[in-house]
Amino acid sequence: MRLIIALCLSLTFLPVSASAAPEEDVVVVTKQDIMALLAQIPDIAPVREDMRALGFRGENLELAVAQNRAFYTDPVIAGHIAEQVMMAYANPGQPGQAQGLIWPLIDRGLGHLPTRKLKYYFEVESTMIHALPVAQCGRIIRNDLSAEAHSDTMSRMAARLNAPALKEYYAIQLRAARLGASRNAVRLSRSQFDRVKAGLDREMEVLIAGTPRPESIVDAMRDLRRADNRRACVIGRLMYDAVMRLEGQVQRDALIFMSSP
């Protein structure tokens, strides 16, 4: 979803900063002012048209439009965004603070979710990764897409989910964003990370052995950034499969690792 575009759109309507206007014309913008402005974004931005262009139809379209509105009207999420916008305007020498605020909140909050919710979220993500065309899949795994292109690509896959799955996926996103607005990301200890790595190494070894050319996949893993799309996609899909084969606390820690900002 083009949430970042909508946020950037909102910033264009803010009053000019004090340095750009005479002192007597300065307008003090409050957190409540920005929250009120954010609440208008779903009515200003062409959200429904954007979602249609990404393939959303019927009930899924209504769910996507409602999700967009929820992000900008939820008091916890909107309040956090407003604070970040104010910080960005107060510190113009630090660009980028007010960009891409929604997905970092989701990433930060995922680790605070109950395990069954966290697992479901990544089961849906895995389904979408497995359904992607190989070229797009490979580029996503290599982190070779812009934030907007990545969002649009995954949104096209989300549009193809059945409505109950999409509804639950969106509910988890929204809950994670609320948690991320008020909490720091969960960080694994060194021992937890080592257990996750050992578990994933073990499962990946088994899964890679079942591929047509396992030595080619192992070679690509040594430098994923240089891997072609086919092998990068295979590696990414196998990684999701490997996480789902883990159990108990190690699996939860692996899911937290995957969601780390």
Side-chain angles (χ1 to χ4, degrees), residues 31 35 70-82 178 181:
K31 177 179 175 179
M35 290 177 67
F71 279 135
Y72 289 113
T73 57
D74 180 90
V76 176
I77 298 171
H80 178 83
I81 293 174
R178 289 181 181 130

Side-chain angles (χ1 to χ4, degrees), residues 157-256:
M157 294 297 103
R160 295 163 56 181
L161 296 171
N162 63 64
L166 183 63
K167 184 177 182 179
E168 178 66 10
Y169 179 69
Y170 278 166
I172 292 171
Q173 278 189 345
L174 189 60
R175 184 174 176 184
R178 289 181 181 130
L179 290 168
S182 58
R183 304 185 190 183
N184 294 324
V186 176
R187 299 296 182 187
L188 300 181
S189 67
R190 184 67 204 187
S191 61
Q192 287 174 312
F193 175 80
D194 288 343
R195 284 193 293 271
V196 167
K197 183 177 183 304
L200 289 177
D201 285 348
R202 181 181 64 253
E203 298 299 338
M204 285 292 286
E205 183 177 352
V206 173
L207 293 172
I208 290 172
T211 60
R213 294 181 57 198
E215 69 284 350
S216 172
I217 301 302
V218 172
D219 182 62
M221 287 182 68
R222 295 191 179 101
D223 191 353
L224 187 58
R225 290 289 301 172
R226 294 181 178 273
D228 58 52
N229 287 331
R230 183 191 67 81
R231 290 187 295 174
C233 184
V234 168
I235 292 167
R237 289 171 176 173
L238 290 180
M239 183 63 72
Y240 274 93
D241 293 344
V243 170
M244 294 306 163
R245 287 165 61 99
L246 298 174
E247 297 178 344
Q249 185 62 43
V250 175
Q251 183 185 68
R252 176 174 176 80
D253 290 344
L255 293 170
I256 290 172

Side-chain angles (χ1 to χ4, degrees), residues 33-93:
D33 291 332
I34 299 176
M35 290 177 67
L37 182 60
L38 289 170
Q40 297 176 36
I41 291 176
D43 299 318
I44 297 171
V47 176
R48 185 174 293 273
E49 291 80 359
D50 282 350
M51 294 300 102
R52 282 187 181 279
L54 291 171
F56 287 88
R57 298 289 186 274
E59 187 176 354
N60 279 11
L61 175 61
E62 299 309 316
L63 288 170
V65 171
Q67 181 79 339
N68 182 279
R69 181 175 296 277
F71 279 135
Y72 289 113
T73 57
D74 180 90
V76 176
I77 298 171
H80 178 83
I81 293 174
E83 290 171 359
Q84 295 303 301
V85 170
M86 293 178 73
M87 286 176 58
Y89 269 72
N91 298 279

Side-chain angles (χ1 to χ4, degrees), residues 98-119:
Q99 297 180 11
L101 292 175
I102 297 294
W103 280 107
L105 289 184
I106 294 172
D107 290 341
R108 208 155 62 219
L110 282 171
H112 295 285
L113 293 172
T115 300
R116 66 182 182 85
K117 296 290 186 181
L118 186 58
K119 184 178 179 181

